[in-house]
C-alpha cells in the first residue's frame, strides 16, 4: 500500500491499517522529513522513528531520562544487532524499564501526531513481522491516537465533507479493534455510543445531542477513524486541505530624501521691505458623495441541528442531561446498558 498524501489523508491511511489488523512499517515522507510507525496487528504502535531533530528519541532519553552523552556512546558501542538503543540503555543500567516504557509512549505520541498532521508527501506501508521483538509489550494504541487527533482537528468543513450525507446511518463496526472496550472516551463519544442502534442517522444523533453539532460530528468522525464505528455509507476519502501559506511581509517603505531647509533670499525684498502677504490656503476640491447602497443583509446558515431537531419534551431533555452527566463515571459497557 502506497500513494500520495496530496490525495489521501494520513489519518485514513492509519485507519486502514487498523481495519486490516495488519503488522508492518508505515512510512511517511514529506520533503526532508521521514517518519516511520512500527505497527503490531494494526491496533498497537510499538515504536516510531523520525528524522526531525525535535522528534529524536535519543534527545528524549537525554532530556527526560537523565541519560548522559557518555552513556549514549557506550550503549551505541555495545548495542547488539536487532536491538533498540533504549533496550541497550536498560541493559547497561542507564535507564529503568518503566522509564523506557514511558518515554517510548511519549515518543510514539509525538511522532504519530506529527505524521497525522502531514498534508503532502508520500506514504508506504510494508507489511510483515516487526524487526524488534523485545519491546512488543508496550506502545500506544492506534484507536487512542486517532481519537485524540480527531478531537483537536479544527477544520469542521473538512470533517463534514469526510462524513458525507447527514442522512447516512451510524452503525457499530462489524470488526472493531481488539480491546476497543478499554479505549477512554470523552463525554461526547460516550453519548454517541449510547445512541447508536443501527437505525439512527447522523442528523438524528445531532438532533438529540446536548454537546452541539460540531462536537457531535467530530466525535462521530473520531469513532469511525478508530474503527469502533463504521464510516457512514457514501463517505468518500478526501485529502487534508493544503496548509495555509503565510502572507509575505510587507516591503519596507523607500527611504525619503531629507527635506532641504528654507533659505532666505538675498538682497532687498521687491515689495519695499514689507512682509509678504500670506497666500490664501487652497480650497479643497469638492468631492461628490458616493451613491449610497442599502446594506445586504447577512445570509443565515441553518445548521444540521435546526433543520432536523424534533420538538423535545421536558422529560426527554432531563433524561438526556442526566445521561450526559453520568457518562464521565461510566465504562463503555455501562454506557451501552450491557
Amino acid at each position: 500500500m502506497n500513494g500520495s498524501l496530496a490525495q489521501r489523508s494520513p489519518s485514513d491511511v492509519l485507519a486502514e491499517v487498523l481495519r486490516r489488523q495488519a503488522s508492518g512499517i508505515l512510512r511517511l515522507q514529506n520533503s526532508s522529513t521521514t517518519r516511520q510507525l512500527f505497527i503490531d496487528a494494526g491496533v498497537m504502535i510499538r515504536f516510531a522513528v523520525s528524522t526531525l531533530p525535535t522528534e529524536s528519541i535519543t534527545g528524549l532519553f537525554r532530556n527526560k531520562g537523565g541519560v548522559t552523552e557518555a552513556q549514549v556512546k557506550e550503549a551505541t558501542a555495545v548495542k547488539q544487532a536487532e536491538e533498540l538503543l533504549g533496550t541497550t540503555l536498560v541493559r547497561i543500567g542507564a535507564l529503568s524499564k518503566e522509564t523506557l516504557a514511558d518515554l517510548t509512549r511519549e515518543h510514539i505520541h509525538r511522532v504519530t501526531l506529527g505524521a497525522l498532521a502531514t498534508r503532502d508527501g508520500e506514504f508506504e506501508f510494508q507489511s510483515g513481522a516487526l524487526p524488534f521483538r523485545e519491546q512488543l509489550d508496550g506502545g500506544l494504541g492506534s484507536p487512542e491516537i486517532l481519537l485524540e487527533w480527531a478531537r483537536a482537528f479544527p477544520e469542521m468543513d473538512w470533517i463534514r465533507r469526510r462524513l458525507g450525507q447527514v442522512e447516512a446511518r451510524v452503525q457499530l463496526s462489524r470488526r472493531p479493534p481488539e480491546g476497543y472496550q478499554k479505549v477512554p472516551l470523552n463525554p461526547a463519544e460516550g453519548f454517541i455510543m449510547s445512541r447508536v442502534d443501527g437505525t439512527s442517522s447522523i442528523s438524528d444523533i445531532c438532533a438529540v445531542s446536548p454537546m452541539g453539532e460540531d462536537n457531535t460530528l467530530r466525535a462521530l468522525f473520531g469513532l469511525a477513524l478508530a474503527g469502533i464505528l463504521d464510516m457512514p455509507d457514501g463517505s468518500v476519502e478526501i485529502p487534508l486541505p493544503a496548509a495555509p501559506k503565510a502572507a509575505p511581509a510587507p516591503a519596507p517603505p523607500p527611504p525619503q530624501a531629507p527635506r532641504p531647509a528654507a533659505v532666505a533670499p538675498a538682497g532687498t525684498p521687491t515689495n519695499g521691505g514689507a512682509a509678504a502677504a500670506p497666500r490664501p490656503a487652497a480650497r479643497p476640491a469638492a468631492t461628490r458623495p458616493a451613491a449610497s447602497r442599502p446594506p445586504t443583509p447577512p445570509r443565515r446558515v441553518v445548521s444540521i441541528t435546526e433543520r432536523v431537531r424534533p420538538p423535545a419534551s421536558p422529560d426527554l431533555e432531563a433524561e438526556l442531561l442526566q445521561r450526559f452527566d453520568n457518562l464521565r463515571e461510566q465504562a463503555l459497557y455501562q454506557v451501552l446498558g450491557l
Side-chain angles (χ1 to χ4, degrees), residues 185-188 190-192 194 211 322-331 335:
L185 305 179
N186 66 16
F191 175 82
I192 287 173
S194 71
M211 277 76 65
Q322 182 63 38
R323 288 191 181 189
F324 179 66
D325 290 337
N326 293 338
L327 287 175
R328 296 181 176 85
E329 303 175 358
Q330 292 180 341
V335 170

Side-chain angles (χ1 to χ4, degrees), residues 23-330:
S23 295
I25 304 173
L26 177 59
R27 179 175 176 270
L28 302 99
Q29 184 166 4
N30 171 263
S31 184
S32 60
T33 301
T34 301
R35 296 179 176 94
Q36 297 183 80
L37 307 179
F38 294 74
I39 305 172
D40 186 13
V43 75
M44 289 296 295
I45 306 173
R46 297 297 183 183
F47 29 88
V49 176
S50 173
T51 60
L52 207 60
T54 55
E55 295 174 355
S56 165
I57 194 168
T58 307
L60 200 60
F61 290 155
R62 293 193 189 99
N63 298 333
K64 292 193 173 183
V67 177
T68 65
E69 185 64 33
Q71 289 171 325
V72 171
K73 291 181 179 178
E74 179 187 355
T76 304
V78 301
K79 190 169 77 70
Q80 300 173 0
E82 301 292 321
E83 185 179 42
L84 294 169
L85 179 64
T87 305
T88 310
L89 288 169
V90 171
R91 181 160 56 82
I92 67 175
L95 275 179
S96 67
K97 289 184 178 181
E98 294 76 14
T99 301
L100 174 61
D102 291 342
L103 293 180
T104 299
R105 281 193 294 269
E106 182 175 346
H107 183 248
I108 293 169
H109 181 267
R110 185 180 301 179
V111 174
T112 305
L113 287 182
L116 292 176
T118 306
R119 298 181 182 239
D120 55 26
E122 304 294 326
F123 71 87
E124 180 182 14
F125 179 70
Q126 296 179 342
S127 60
L130 298 185
F132 308 111
R133 307 301 302 174
E134 71 274 12
Q135 285 185 218
L136 294 186
D137 56 346
L140 193 64
S142 302
E144 187 176 340
I145 196 72
L146 284 167
L147 274 170
E148 180 181 348
W149 177 80
R151 290 167 189 156
F153 189 68
E155 301 179 45
M156 284 305 305
D157 288 342
W158 186 88
I159 290 178
R160 287 186 175 89
R161 292 173 55 211
R162 180 66 185 87
L163 285 173
Q165 297 296 323
V166 296
E167 292 79 14
R169 289 188 303 170
V170 180
Q171 303 184 64
L172 291 172
S173 173
R174 293 177 288 272
R175 193 185 180 191
E178 182 181 355
Y180 76 97
Q181 303 93 334
K182 298 180 181 178
V183 175
L185 305 179
N186 66 16
E189 294 153 359
F191 175 82
I192 287 173
M193 294 301 298
S194 71
R195 306 303 298 181
V196 175
D197 55 8
T199 62
S200 298
S201 66
I202 295 176
S203 59
D204 293 335
I205 294 177
C206 285
V208 298
S209 173
M211 277 76 65
E213 182 181 314
D214 286 0
N215 288 333
T216 303
L217 293 175
R218 188 180 281 111
L220 278 167
F221 173 61
L223 289 168
L225 273 185
I228 299 173
L229 299 178
D230 277 339
M231 196 65 75
D233 290 338
S235 62
V236 180
E237 289 191 7
I238 53 176
L240 289 177
K245 295 182 179 180
Q256 294 183 354
R259 182 176 296 176
V263 179
T268 305
T270 57
N271 60 356
R279 299 179 66 182
R283 296 180 62 184
T287 58
R288 187 176 183 179
S292 60
R293 299 177 60 184
T296 304
R299 182 181 178 185
R300 182 173 180 268
V301 178
V302 182
S303 68
I304 293 176
T305 305
E306 293 178 281
R307 293 198 301 266
V308 300
R309 183 182 294 275
S313 65
D315 292 340
L316 176 58
E317 293 184 359
E319 178 189 353
L320 291 176
L321 292 175
Q322 182 63 38
R323 288 191 181 189
F324 179 66
D325 290 337
N326 293 338
L327 287 175
R328 296 181 176 85
E329 303 175 358
Q330 292 180 341

